[in-house]
């Protein structure tokens, strides 16, 4: 693998490894319930009581799973309630591993190209992008989106040759990816389309890919990022600048009517879990897309990943040097637990990964995995 190529996934998506971090013992606090704001901007108190045992949103705690042979020099993680994916640096470049939660086995996944990025997982189905980097021309050949059913396959090539896909995501029956090209109207932006296909349990496409989003703009200069998110019920994405009637901000699409809606011009970094959308706006915000209820999770939170009953995110802490706590906070009760702290900026750090009962992140090149333990499991 080429080191430079590894630290830049595409012209529009950059993720760099966290390098200066500490991992303090986790702390737990009980926080007041977040307020709920309706679409008419009136504010009410969210009095809904979380179900006893709701992960991250009830009595219980996040407990770290003891490292049982996780690969060192971790670069990125993805997690489900069945497995943890770890993208790690090796003596020969990089490799992708799966830690199976039920057995504790660590499996190396079959990467057939000289580079890969953007791993994701739903249940036991892992997906990633791979391609052959050409150092002399600084381009990729043989780019594919791959799916692999853990623990032993089969490996499926989801996209056909000739495409330039990247950023795959898997949720429910959908597997999506993006394809970008230079935007002829302004070279500061790329023009991005999002495609998707329904897949079976092995990751095999059931039909031809569909163009779900016909266009969005993304900054293409410097360390700019572009983010989209997939759940089993919705798709959400950023649009960086106005074009053809589309305004800047976060858009959503439901898989019932495939209607596109603008969330707001001051909304960025969307993350979905079914009907729950977490994003950055007036601080870290959440929106229930089924009811249109909106509330603030944390005024200092950002770069969040949504789960069914909680959000995991970075929160800045001012001091002699700004640090960033890794927080998990319940969406209904506001129950909060600090799982770690680092000094690297979140926009230069790996994404936090979540599933219904797990949270995973990287601190100082080491993968950390937490599991929710409620009253029934204590």
């Amino acid at each position: 693998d080429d080191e430079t190529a590894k630290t830049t996934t595409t012209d529009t998506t950059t993720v760099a490894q966290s390098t200066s971090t500490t991992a303090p013992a986790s702390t737990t606090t009980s926080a007041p319930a977040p307020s709920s704001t309706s679409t008419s901007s009136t504010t009410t108190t969210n009095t809904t009581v979380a179900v006893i045992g709701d992960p991250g949103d009830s009595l219980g705690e996040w407990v770290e799973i003891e490292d049982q042979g996780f690969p060192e020099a971790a670069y990125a993680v993805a997690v489900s309630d069945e497995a943890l994916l770890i993208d790690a640096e090796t003596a020969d470049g990089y490799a992708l591993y799966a830690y199976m939660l039920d057995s504790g086995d660590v499996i190396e996944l079959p990467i057939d190209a000289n580079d890969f990025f953007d791993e994701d997982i739903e249940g036991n189905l892992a997906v990633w992008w791979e391609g052959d980097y050409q150092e002399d021309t600084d381009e990729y050949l043989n780019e594919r989106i791959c799916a692999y059913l853990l623990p032993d396959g089969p490996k499926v090539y989801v996209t056909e040759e000739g495409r330039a896909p990247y950023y795959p995501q898997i949720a429910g029956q959908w597997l999506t990816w993006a394809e970008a090209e230079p935007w002829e109207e302004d070279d500061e932006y790329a023009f991005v389309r999002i495609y998707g296909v329904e897949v079976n349990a092995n990751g095999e496409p059931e039909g031809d890919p569909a163009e779900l989003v016909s266009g969005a703009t993304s900054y293409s200069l410097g360390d700019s990022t572009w983010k989209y998110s997939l759940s089993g019920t919705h798709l959400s994405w950023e649009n960086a600048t106005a074009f053809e009637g589309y305004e800047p901000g976060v858009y959503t699409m439901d898989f019932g009517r495939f209607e596109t809606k603008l969330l707001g011009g001051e909304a960025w970094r969307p993350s979905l879990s079914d009907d729950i959308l977490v994003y950055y706006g007036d601080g870290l915000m959440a929106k229930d897309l089924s009811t249109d209820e909106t509330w603030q999770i944390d005024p200092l939170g950002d770069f969040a990943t949504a789960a069914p009953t909680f959000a995991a995110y970075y929160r800045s802490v001012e001091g002699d040097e700004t640090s960033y706590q890794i927080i998990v906070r319940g969406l209904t009760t506001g129950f909060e637990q600090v799982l770690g702290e680092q000094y690297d900026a979140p926009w230069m750090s790996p994404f936090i990964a979540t599933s219904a009962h797990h949270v995973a992140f990287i601190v100082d090149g080491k993968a950390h995995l937490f599991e929710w333990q409620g009253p029934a499991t204590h």
Side-chain angles (χ1 to χ4, degrees):
D1 280 8
D2 179 80
E3 180 68 19
T4 302
K6 188 64 183 180
T7 58
T8 304
T9 59
T10 70
D11 289 340
T12 59
T13 304
T14 303
V15 178
Q17 183 176 353
S18 173
T19 57
S20 178
T21 54
T22 59
S26 63
T27 60
T28 304
T29 61
S30 294
S35 63
S36 175
T37 305
S38 71
T39 54
S40 61
S41 297
T42 59
T43 301
T44 59
T45 300
N46 186 347
T47 57
T48 303
V49 177
V51 175
I52 295 298
D54 277 356
D57 207 22
S58 62
L59 298 176
E61 64 178 328
W62 292 99
V63 177
E64 184 163 15
I65 294 178
E66 184 179 350
D67 183 343
Q68 300 183 14
F70 295 167
E72 299 295 327
Y75 179 84
V77 289
V79 71
S80 72
D81 282 342
E82 283 72 38
L84 170 69
L85 298 185
I86 304 175
D87 176 348
E89 187 173 6
T90 69
D92 299 323
Y94 291 83
L96 182 60
Y97 300 92
Y99 169 77
M100 306 303 297
L101 297 180
D102 57 351
S103 66
D105 294 337
V106 177
I107 302 163
E108 182 174 353
L109 302 188
I111 307 297
D112 296 317
N114 67 19
D115 208 352
F116 70 94
F117 294 112
D118 298 332
E119 53 284 322
D120 195 16
I121 187 168
E122 173 86 341
N124 281 324
L125 186 61
V127 299
W128 66 86
W129 169 93
E130 67 178 47
D132 291 313
Y133 178 68
Q134 309 297 303
E135 188 172 2
D136 55 342
T137 60
D138 190 28
E139 63 179 356
Y140 284 97
L141 301 177
N142 308 317
E143 298 178 81
R144 296 285 189 88
I145 302 299
C146 304
Y148 189 83
L149 183 63
L150 298 169
D152 52 10
K155 180 179 181 180
V156 175
Y157 290 107
V158 178
T159 56
E160 66 273 16
E161 294 183 6
R163 305 185 79 116
Y166 70 103
Y167 209 161
Q169 295 194 34
I170 179 78
Q173 298 298 313
W174 283 96
L175 193 161
T176 58
W177 64 88
E179 297 183 21
E181 61 189 39
W183 193 32
E184 58 185 22
E185 296 187 22
D186 190 335
D187 61 7
E188 291 186 5
Y189 301 92
F191 192 76
V192 185
R193 294 179 174 86
I194 301 175
Y195 295 86
V197 65
E198 292 186 278
V199 297
N200 63 21
N202 289 333
E204 298 165 334
E206 296 187 325
D208 296 326
E211 185 180 85
L212 299 176
V213 177
S214 59
T217 54
S218 161
Y219 288 112
S220 58
L221 302 178
D223 291 330
S224 58
T225 62
W226 175 80
K227 193 172 191 300
Y228 86 99
S229 184
L230 173 71
S231 76
T233 60
H234 287 82
L235 185 69
S236 184
W237 65 95
E238 292 179 330
N239 187 51
T241 191
F243 78 99
E244 297 179 359
Y246 290 94
E247 298 299 321
V250 166
Y251 284 83
T252 62
M253 173 189 291
D254 70 88
F255 287 142
R257 298 183 178 181
F258 291 91
E259 291 180 341
T260 298
K261 295 181 180 180
L262 175 64
L263 179 67
E266 297 302 322
W268 305 103
R269 295 182 280 283
S271 180
L272 282 165
S273 180
D274 291 330
D275 294 340
I276 297 296
L277 175 67
V278 173
Y279 63 95
Y280 184 79
D282 183 15
L284 184 63
M285 307 295 293
K287 185 180 183 70
D288 187 331
L289 298 175
S290 67
T291 65
D292 280 338
E293 286 186 297
T294 302
W295 65 96
Q296 187 184 72
I297 299 173
D298 190 329
L300 299 178
D302 201 352
F303 293 89
T305 305
T309 55
F310 63 88
Y313 58 93
Y314 294 97
R315 181 168 67 199
S316 59
V317 179
E318 297 299 329
D320 293 338
E321 183 179 359
T322 300
S323 63
Y324 301 90
Q325 294 175 325
I326 298 168
I327 304 288
V328 182
R329 187 177 176 97
L331 295 174
T332 299
T333 65
F335 176 84
E336 177 183 298
Q337 188 168 335
V338 179
L339 303 188
E341 187 171 3
Q342 67 178 44
Y343 288 92
D344 289 318
W347 54 90
M348 296 297 291
S349 303
F351 291 125
I352 301 170
T354 65
S355 63
H357 297 83
H358 294 86
V359 176
F361 55 89
I362 294 172
V363 171
D364 197 23
K366 178 178 174 59
H368 293 265
L369 176 63
F370 284 78
E371 183 175 68
W372 178 256
Q373 294 186 5
T377 59
H378 268 39

